[in-house]
Amino acid sequence: MSSEQEPVSIETRGVSKTYGERAAVNHMSLQVKKGEFVSLLGPSGCGKTTLLRMLGGLEQPDQGSILLGGRDVTGIPAYGRNSNMIFQQLALFPHMDVFNNIAYGLKVKKLPKADIRRQVHEMLELVQLGDYGRRAVSQLSGGQAQRVAIARALINRPEVLLLDEPLSALDMQLRLDMQRELKRIQREFGGTFIFVTHDQNEAMNMSDRIGVMRAGKLLQYATPDEIYERPADSFVAKFIGDTNLLATTVLGQEANGIQVECFGYSLLVKTSEGTPVALVGARHSLSIRNEYIRLGEDANPCLNKLDGRVMEAVYGGANIRYTIQIAKGFLVQASVLHQRGASRYSPGEPIRIGFDPEDALLLSEPLLHDRVQEEGI
């Protein structure tokens, strides 16, 4: 079955939510297909948690509609929807053991005890806590508590599980472990997960699709590789991964690409699907990922070359991150694979940088990196 034919789990149609004069979510339309793991990504205050709360029925939109499993649930509160939500604070019941925390939803439904035992044990196995049923909540580690919260949320078989930054309080290694666990659980459970985060790596590691939000709007909704390789604008390019944004002016269109001027250099950018129509004299942002920039002798075969000076070299294990000044006050970042015994470039050293036409992306709008920096990215 193709992705176009897969049923939609949850959908928003022109949804808006305003607090005072501020639009937290601004006319947003979004479709999440059944069985997808989708992340909502963006800086603090972009509206991603407000959107999640509307999807779960904890907030109601001022405009637009929400459909869950094809049914219009706009105006229906959380308890009337077949969805569940996990918050940053897990809110496990401290006076109950693991088994009874997970069983709580089934007991409210007054299911037979045998059915409750069976379903709770299935959930314990799913989250790999099979022997922890009688463990007190206070005896759990952070990762174990996360798994109990997930099991409790899934026990009623929701159409959609909504997760509001549930891993943010964990240390780095445990957070990475839980990312893998959460994706495994989602895959084995077979449900739809919508995950809110401001961590780009978390979204890239876990998601089938990512929605990048800013100021209440959905800027791009696509797979991780599409967002990384073909960002919709300079904000998305800067927010997802490490990239350099250069201000360019179009010189002309050629058979094999677009010729642009940047800091006095003529550069060629290969055109592809989605490349904006290039009018001579038009100004555009040019995005070049840090890892696509080559230095020194490695830059010589590249079609596009610029000269600069090394300002900083930071060792990062597998990579060395160089900061290079290519124009007065303008810095470029390059991430170079570190090879044992290879020479490094030192601060103050003149250097040539290069990149190929297919390694740069011409964005539709003029350079917005100053505004991006103001927003704390």
Side-chain angles (χ1 to χ4, degrees):
M1 182 182 289
S2 71
S3 60
E4 288 77 10
Q5 295 172 320
E6 289 169 5
V8 174
S9 264
I10 195 163
E11 178 180 3
T12 66
R13 296 179 179 174
V15 164
S16 296
K17 182 69 177 179
T18 302
Y19 297 106
E21 297 182 356
R22 185 180 71 87
V25 175
N26 189 357
H27 201 73
M28 187 177 297
S29 296
L30 177 77
Q31 273 193 355
V32 180
K33 294 183 172 62
K34 188 174 181 62
E36 277 192 312
F37 194 117
V38 166
S39 289
L40 300 175
L41 176 67
S44 297
C46 71
K48 54 189 185 294
T49 293
T50 300
L51 176 61
L52 198 76
R53 291 176 64 84
M54 287 194 290
L55 293 175
L58 299 174
E59 302 272 358
Q60 298 301 330
D62 299 325
Q63 292 180 325
S65 57
I66 297 171
L67 282 72
L68 180 63
R71 170 184 170 228
D72 192 335
V73 294
T74 313
I76 296 176
Y79 61 80
R81 302 186 184 189
N82 187 24
S83 61
N84 214 331
M85 193 161 177
I86 297 177
F87 299 92
Q88 209 169 337
Q89 295 78 27
L90 301 177
L92 297 176
F93 302 121
H95 61 288
M96 296 182 186
D97 60 18
V98 168
F99 181 96
N100 285 294
N101 262 278
I102 298 172
Y104 180 78
L106 301 182
K107 290 181 176 181
V108 169
K109 291 183 174 181
K110 301 186 185 304
L111 263 64
K113 288 184 179 180
D115 288 348
I116 292 175
R117 278 196 302 272
R118 177 181 56 79
Q119 291 189 46
V120 170
H121 284 303
E122 286 176 359
M123 282 296 147
L124 284 169
E125 291 300 322
L126 177 67
V127 299
Q128 297 184 344
L129 291 175
D131 298 328
Y132 283 72
R134 295 308 171 191
R135 186 76 61 93
V137 168
S138 60
Q139 296 176 316
L140 300 175
S141 68
Q144 290 165 350
Q146 293 283 348
R147 296 184 195 195
V148 173
I150 293 166
R152 185 179 65 177
L154 293 179
I155 194 76
N156 284 320
R157 304 282 170 180
E159 171 82 22
V160 178
L161 181 63
L162 308 166
L163 304 103
D164 188 11
E165 301 202 55
L167 309 183
S168 60
L170 303 179
D171 63 58
M172 183 178 294
Q173 188 55 53
L174 183 54
R175 188 167 181 162
L176 290 172
D177 292 341
M178 280 305 301
Q179 288 173 19
R180 288 189 287 269
E181 266 305 285
L182 197 53
K183 185 62 181 174
R184 178 193 63 79
I185 291 167
Q186 184 262 342
R187 187 170 56 248
E188 293 183 10
F189 180 74
T192 304
F193 284 24
I194 302 178
F195 186 91
V196 158
T197 181
H198 62 270
D199 186 319
Q200 53 171 275
N201 291 323
E202 197 162 74
M204 294 288 283
N205 289 343
M206 302 170 67
S207 310
D208 298 312
R209 285 197 286 178
I210 299 172
V212 183
M213 294 180 61
R214 175 176 174 269
K217 293 185 178 180
L218 187 66
L219 300 184
Q220 190 168 4
Y221 184 50
T223 62
D225 58 321
E226 287 173 328
I227 285 180
Y228 189 84
E229 298 292 347
R230 296 186 296 280
D233 59 23
S234 58
F235 181 92
V236 177
K238 200 73 177 174
F239 200 84
I240 300 285
D242 296 318
T243 198
N244 299 284
L245 295 174
L246 309 182
T248 67
T249 303
V250 175
L251 298 176
Q253 185 94 34
E254 298 188 7
N256 56 346
I258 299 170
Q259 203 77 33
V260 298
E261 184 272 331
C262 176
F263 298 118
Y265 294 90
S266 178
L267 307 173
L268 184 67
V269 184
K270 189 173 182 180
T271 55
S272 60
E273 184 180 350
T275 300
V277 176
L279 301 175
V280 175
R283 294 175 59 80
H284 293 271
S285 305
L286 188 67
S287 173
I288 313 163
R289 294 288 179 192
N290 295 12
E291 65 270 21
Y292 293 157
I293 289 181
R294 301 176 207 173
L295 302 180
E297 291 184 2
D298 291 339
N300 289 333
C302 297
L303 191 59
N304 296 316
K305 290 184 277 286
L306 302 92
D307 294 309
R309 185 173 298 276
V310 176
M311 305 300 290
E312 185 180 44
V314 178
Y315 174 72
N319 296 80
I320 299 177
R321 186 185 182 104
Y322 290 99
T323 302
I324 299 158
Q325 183 172 313
I326 60 170
K328 187 177 180 180
F330 193 88
L331 303 176
V332 163
Q333 306 285 339
S335 181
V336 178
L337 185 65
H338 173 57
Q339 296 176 334
R340 185 176 296 174
S343 60
R344 300 189 203 175
Y345 304 104
S346 303
E349 187 176 347
I351 195 167
R352 172 156 287 189
I353 76 170
F355 61 92
D356 288 322
E358 59 268 23
D359 289 336
L361 179 69
L362 198 66
L363 301 173
S364 59
E365 87 282 46
L367 186 63
L368 297 177
H369 77 279
D370 290 338
R371 189 173 75 189
V372 168
Q373 288 173 345
E374 288 171 7
E375 299 194 21
I377 296 175

